């Protein structure tokens, strides 16, 4: 029996710039089943990142509902949304977005600082997450001492360390060479298959999208 | 706070920039401390007896005495608080080389006009009761090993004969500029013996020390005193103890006001400098703040990061400045003409002011970048191009 984890209902998003308002998403509706691996594709400027941000709760729709696990996150206050994000969503970005002054270990530990876990519990979790991405031996390295692919794997460890149900990834392989990209995709595939994470990934790369179960195309703010 | 590590690491991110900012704050704090020390020293000096003490002496020369009867007349002048007097006694203690000032003073009033010579009440009382008593300064007591109860024999020269005085008290100097080497005997004791042995020298007073209520009236009161004895057989010349003229006081006080103002201006300038540094740092980290907030950190965490970094830099600058001020102020004091200021030290109040200014610099500098970081939406933070 499949269960719907994310339900997008009639979502539109407008950005106001001066007096001009730009419509970025037009009345989008779709569901995501628990454990799905969804790829969002489409030309530049079509609204992929915007849609991903709405699902991840770092932006809010102009109209419509975003129901995740029965909870309309479009209605949450900024503070409750922050707490919700820290418990339910893991983020992977195109440019890794690690904090340069923190080591791999400290970067992965960041989301756990918001939990009540003790120092030793945090350490166990961080070590586990880094070993899953194959960087157990690089814990004390700073981002600038790692390759792009390794940085992205640290970012993946950071995304899974709190054990969230949903992982969102915005062009996670966009800045990587072929081999590193393949490693990252394999990892995402494993997270989906072995750890039952629901994954939503924005990508331009058809071979990346082929790892996904479902591919959705956006065109000028409309699902096609 | 668990993000403390991040705050510390952020502070060390642009080492040169942070160092220069810390250096700037220390220089500001040093300037602040020096200026404040001058300002406080000035006010302490103004409060010190010197500014409100007049010396009335014989108009022709110091060596001619004045009559004892002048005391009550001077006292009756408006603005005079108390009148004391002294004679140069000197004499020889054991050897001519044992030189320390020995004065015959009016025991009743001397400590009113010279509050810088500090005695316990018991010592004062013992001295007052015993006409053959004397008081010595702490420095002299230390040098000659004098203790209360010791008898000091003096071979008189100005006032011939053999004299003996029992030490009834050892006065402590109020501050570093106070002369702690003097010895005081009763003028009454001296006068009694003079009346018997040299009646023509009875009731002679060396000079009067006049304490006035308002230092700014020094010139006017001096003039009144001298007018009172004009055309008498013993005309007087009265001036402030440090020969401060009315004009000198007001000219200096304008400079002091400017220094006072300047000390706070410097703090204001450095506030803007650190503010600018913090704005730059926070701007560069716009994207990182967006990442942290995405992970669930709140605006309060971000405010804490910026505020914490600002406080670390300002506290380091403040402490460095304070530590460096101490030897600098000492150096200035040593190179100043002695006694120019009665006290020239880093007062506790200056330390408190300097440290709280440093903290205020830190708080102020974080206000603008914090409010900007909080107002920026996460999505705009990610799209921000520095
Ligand atoms: N915060 C914002 N303020 C104003 N306009 C925005 C904002 N975010 C996105 N837009 C606009 O919305 C449109 C869609 O942007 P979005 O980033 O979602 O596109 P995208 O599909 O992710 O493109 P790309 O493949 O280039 O990343 C663009 O025209 C963009 O200029
Ligand atoms: Mg995008």
């Amino acid at each position: 029996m499949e269960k719907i984890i994310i339900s997008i209902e009639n979502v539109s998003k407008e950005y106001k710039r001066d007096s001009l308002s730009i419509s970025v998403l037009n009345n989008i509706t779709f569901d995501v089943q628990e454990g799905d691996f969804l790829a969002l594709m489409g030309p530049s400027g079509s609204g992929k990142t915007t849609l991903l941000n709405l699902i991840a709760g770092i932006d809010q729709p102009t109209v419509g509902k975003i129901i995740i696990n029965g909870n309309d996150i479009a209605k949450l206050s900024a503070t409750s949304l922050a707490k919700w994000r820290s418990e339910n969503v893991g983020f992977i970005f195109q440019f890794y977005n690690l904090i340069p002054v923190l080591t791999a270990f400290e970067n992965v530990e960041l989301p756990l600082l918001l939990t009540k876990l003790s120092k030793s519990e945090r350490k166990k979790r961080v070590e586990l997450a880094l070993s899953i991405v194959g960087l157990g031996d690089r814990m004390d390295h700073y981002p600038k001492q790692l390759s792009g692919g390794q940085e992205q794997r640290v970012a993946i460890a950071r995304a899974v360390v709190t054990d969230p149900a949903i992982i969102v990834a915005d062009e996670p392989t966009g800045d990587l060479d072929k081999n590193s990209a393949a490693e990252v995709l394999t990892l995402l595939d494993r997270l989906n298959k072995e750890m039952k994470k629901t994954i939503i990934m924005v990508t331009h790369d058809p071979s990346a999208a082929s790892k996904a179960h479902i591919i959705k195309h956006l065109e000028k703010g409309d699902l096609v | 706070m668990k993000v403390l590590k991040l705050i510390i690491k952020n502070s060390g991110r642009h080492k040169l920039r942070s160092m220069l900012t810390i250096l700037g704050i220390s220089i500001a704090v040093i300037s602040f401390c020096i200026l404040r020390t001058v300002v406080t020293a000035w006010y302490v000096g103004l409060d010190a007896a010197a500014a409100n003490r007049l010396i009335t002496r014989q108009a022709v020369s110091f060596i001619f005495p004045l009559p004892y009867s002048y005391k009550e007349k001077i006292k009756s002048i408006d603005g005079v608080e108390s009148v004391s007097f002294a004679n140069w006694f000197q004499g020889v203690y054991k050897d001519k080389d044992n030189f320390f000032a020995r004065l015959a003073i009016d025991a009743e009033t001397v400590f009113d006009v010279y509050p810088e010579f500090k005695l316990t009440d018991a010592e004062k009382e013992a001295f007052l009761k015993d006409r053959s008593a004397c008081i010595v300064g702490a420095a002299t007591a230390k040098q000659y090993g004098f203790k209360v109860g010791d008898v000091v024999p003096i071979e008189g020269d100005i006032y011939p004969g053999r004299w003996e005085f029992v030490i009834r008290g050892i006065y402590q100097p109020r501050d570093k500029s106070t002369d702690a080497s003097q010895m005081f005997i009763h003028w009454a004791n001296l006068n009694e013996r003079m009346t018997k042995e040299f009646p023509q020298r009875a009731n002679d007073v060396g000079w009067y020390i006049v304490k006035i209520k308002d230092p700014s009236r020094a010139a006017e009161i001096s003039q009144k005193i001298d007018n009172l004895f004009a055309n008498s057989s013993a005309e007087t010349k009265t001036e402030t103890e440090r020969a401060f003229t009315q004009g000198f006081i007001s000219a200096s006080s304008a400079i002091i006001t400017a220094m006072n103002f300047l000390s706070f201006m410097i703090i204001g300038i450095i506030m803007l400098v650190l503010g600018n540094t913090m704005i730059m740092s926070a701007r560069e980290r716009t994207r990182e703040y967006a990442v942290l907030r995405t992970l669930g950190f709140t605006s309060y965490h971000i405010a804490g990061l910026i505020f914490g970094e600002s406080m670390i830099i300002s506290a380091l600058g403040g402490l460095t400045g304070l530590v460096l001020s101490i030897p600098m102020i000492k150096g200035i004091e040593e190179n100043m003409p002695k006694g120019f200021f009665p006290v020239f030290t880093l007062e506790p109040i200056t330390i408190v002011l300097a440290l709280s200014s440093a903290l205020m610099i830190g708080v102020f500098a974080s206000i603008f970048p914090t409010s900007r970081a909080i107002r920026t939406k996460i999505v705009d933070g990610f799209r921000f191009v520095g």
Side-chain angles (χ1 to χ4, degrees):
Chain A
M1 228 328 255
E2 296 274 288
K3 182 183 161 233
I4 293 171
I5 182 166
I6 302 169
S7 175
I8 315 255
E9 294 175 18
N10 307 104
V11 163
S12 294
K13 178 74 183 174
E14 281 175 14
Y15 283 113
K16 288 205 171 59
R17 204 176 279 157
D18 303 321
S19 57
L20 215 74
S21 91
I22 314 159
S23 181
V24 181
L25 296 172
N26 311 314
N27 203 22
I28 306 269
T29 301
F30 69 93
D31 291 339
V32 181
Q33 309 287 337
E34 190 163 36
D36 256 355
F37 189 159
L38 176 100
L40 272 175
M41 297 191 77
S44 187
S46 55
K48 305 181 295 294
T49 297
T50 305
L51 182 57
L52 197 71
N53 288 346
L54 293 179
I55 296 169
I58 61 173
D59 201 358
Q60 298 202 294
T62 316
V63 270
K65 288 181 179 170
I66 297 170
I67 296 165
I68 297 181
N69 276 330
N71 210 343
D72 186 357
I73 63 162
K75 287 206 178 78
L76 293 179
S77 71
T79 323
S80 354
L81 203 53
K83 189 165 158 39
W84 178 84
R85 280 197 303 274
S86 70
E87 290 165 356
N88 294 283
V89 191
F91 296 84
I92 303 166
F93 308 91
Q94 179 177 358
F95 299 109
Y96 335 126
N97 281 338
L98 300 178
I99 307 293
V101 286
L102 299 181
T103 61
F105 182 96
E106 290 162 345
N107 265 288
V108 176
E109 191 189 20
L110 269 178
L112 295 183
L113 295 181
L114 295 165
T115 66
K116 290 201 172 69
L117 293 178
S118 71
K119 200 174 163 139
S120 61
E121 283 171 316
R122 292 204 300 269
K123 186 164 185 282
K124 244 189 275 168
R125 292 251 201 143
V126 173
E127 284 170 355
L128 178 68
L130 279 168
S131 70
I132 289 173
V133 299
L135 290 173
D137 55 342
R138 298 297 201 116
M139 291 199 283
D140 297 325
H141 288 221
Y142 286 92
K144 64 170 179 285
Q145 299 168 318
L146 300 172
S147 73
Q150 288 167 333
E151 279 194 71
Q152 193 62 301
R153 275 146 64 196
V154 174
I156 293 173
R158 181 176 67 185
V160 296
V161 76
T162 53
D163 197 24
I166 302 167
I167 290 187
V168 298
D170 195 351
E171 302 189 40
T173 58
D175 202 47
L176 296 177
D177 63 47
K178 238 185 153 85
N179 289 337
S180 305
E183 278 172 15
V184 164
L185 287 169
T186 311
L187 261 176
L188 288 178
D189 195 44
R190 278 182 56 201
L191 294 183
N192 176 248
K193 290 214 174 79
E194 295 168 19
M195 298 167 77
K196 307 288 176 228
K197 303 287 176 208
T198 305
I199 299 182
I200 301 170
M201 174 177 73
V202 168
T203 183
H204 282 292
D205 175 9
S207 76
S210 69
K211 292 272 180 189
H213 313 160
I214 307 160
I215 300 177
K216 288 197 184 291
H217 286 272
L218 267 177
E219 199 93 48
K220 289 188 182 148
D222 295 302
L223 272 181
V224 293
Chain B
M1 203 156 72
K2 291 175 191 155
V3 293
L4 190 65
K5 195 192 277 175
L6 186 52
I7 295 178
I8 294 169
K9 287 189 165 187
N10 272 341
S11 318
R13 203 148 176 174
H14 290 279
K15 290 212 170 53
L16 186 61
R17 188 202 282 171
S18 302
M19 296 268 282
L20 288 175
T21 313
I22 289 171
L23 191 68
I25 295 171
S26 356
I27 292 172
V29 166
I30 292 170
S31 319
F32 180 83
C33 287
I34 292 174
L35 286 171
R36 297 300 315 163
T37 301
V38 173
V39 171
T40 12
W42 165 259
Y43 284 111
V44 169
L46 202 65
D47 289 346
N52 59 13
R53 272 199 304 249
L54 307 177
I55 303 293
T56 300
R57 61 172 174 90
Q58 220 274 357
V60 179
S61 167
F62 215 81
I63 60 167
F64 298 125
L66 292 167
Y68 173 72
S69 59
Y70 281 13
K71 184 184 177 195
E72 288 308 312
K73 289 179 187 158
I74 295 173
K75 214 173 165 182
S76 67
I77 291 172
D78 173 49
V80 170
E81 194 176 313
S82 60
V83 180
S84 190
F85 53 89
N87 289 27
W88 190 245
F89 176 75
Q90 210 47 27
V92 176
Y93 168 65
K94 285 185 181 168
D95 187 290
K96 265 202 167 10
D97 292 338
N98 294 334
F99 184 87
F100 51 92
R102 293 179 277 270
L103 299 166
I105 45 77
D106 179 30
E108 306 278 342
T109 53
V110 65
F111 298 111
D112 290 347
V113 295
Y114 288 114
E116 60 263 52
F117 303 134
K118 288 166 51 177
L119 280 178
T120 64
D121 288 342
E123 284 173 319
K124 265 186 206 169
E125 204 178 317
F127 176 61
L128 271 172
K129 267 197 226 155
D130 179 0
R131 276 207 180 174
S132 70
C134 72
I135 297 281
V136 294
T140 294
K142 194 172 169 215
Q143 189 179 348
Y144 297 96
F146 292 152
K147 291 182 302 295
V148 171
D150 285 359
V151 175
V152 183
I154 303 284
E155 200 54 54
D157 43 21
I158 305 171
Y159 301 96
R162 184 172 167 83
W163 302 77
E164 281 188 348
F165 306 103
V166 192
I167 299 176
R168 290 295 178 209
I170 292 171
Y171 76 81
Q172 299 297 327
R174 184 181 56 195
D175 50 56
K176 284 191 288 181
S177 73
T178 306
D179 183 355
S181 72
Q182 305 188 59
M183 171 171 156
F184 302 123
I185 64 163
H186 282 268
W187 181 86
N189 182 9
L190 176 69
N191 197 47
E192 199 174 28
R193 190 150 151 187
M194 287 301 107
T195 315
K196 265 187 248 156
E197 295 176 10
F198 304 93
Q200 75 280 14
R201 292 179 74 179
N203 293 326
D204 279 358
V205 163
W207 62 89
Y208 285 94
I209 304 116
V210 182
K211 187 178 173 190
I212 57 175
K213 289 171 190 149
D214 178 1
S216 68
R217 289 181 61 198
E220 173 209 333
I221 294 171
S222 300
Q223 196 58 54
K224 274 190 184 158
I225 294 172
D226 293 346
N227 287 347
L228 198 62
F229 306 114
N231 304 318
S232 74
S233 60
E235 295 196 352
T236 60
K237 181 170 177 195
T238 303
E239 43 191 16
T240 56
E241 194 175 279
R242 272 198 278 165
F244 266 161
T245 63
Q246 183 71 25
F248 183 76
I249 289 178
S250 43
S252 310
S253 79
I255 296 171
I256 293 298
T257 309
M259 284 181 134
N260 212 341
F261 180 66
L262 204 63
S263 67
F264 289 103
M265 286 280 282
I266 288 171
I267 297 298
I269 292 169
I270 205 69
M271 259 182 196
L272 297 180
V273 171
L274 179 61
N276 189 48
T277 306
M278 289 313 299
I279 287 169
M280 277 201 292
S281 301
R283 217 181 139 79
E284 285 164 8
R285 293 173 203 157
T286 304
R287 186 176 252 280
E288 286 169 36
Y289 296 146
V291 173
L292 289 172
R293 284 166 71 191
T294 300
L295 297 179
F297 288 86
T298 61
S299 304
Y300 297 108
H301 289 112
I302 306 298
L305 281 181
I306 299 173
F307 180 73
E309 186 176 347
S310 185
M311 290 316 273
I312 284 182
I313 291 179
S314 58
L316 279 177
L319 286 176
T320 313
L322 203 58
V323 167
L324 293 179
S325 314
I326 294 165
M328 290 186 83
I329 287 172
K330 218 169 164 50
I332 294 174
E333 188 199 8
E334 276 158 13
N335 288 299
M336 228 168 18
K338 220 168 168 52
F340 189 78
F341 286 121
V343 234
F344 195 81
T345 46
L346 194 58
E347 297 284 310
I349 178 70
T350 307
I351 297 176
V352 170
L353 271 176
L355 284 183
S356 42
S357 302
L359 295 187
M360 255 171 52
I361 292 169
V363 173
F364 174 85
S366 58
I367 292 173
F368 187 74
T370 303
S371 89
R372 185 178 165 276
I374 288 174
R375 272 185 290 110
T376 306
K377 284 191 185 155
I378 298 179
V379 283
D380 293 330
F382 278 121
R383 291 167 61 88
F384 179 82
V385 243

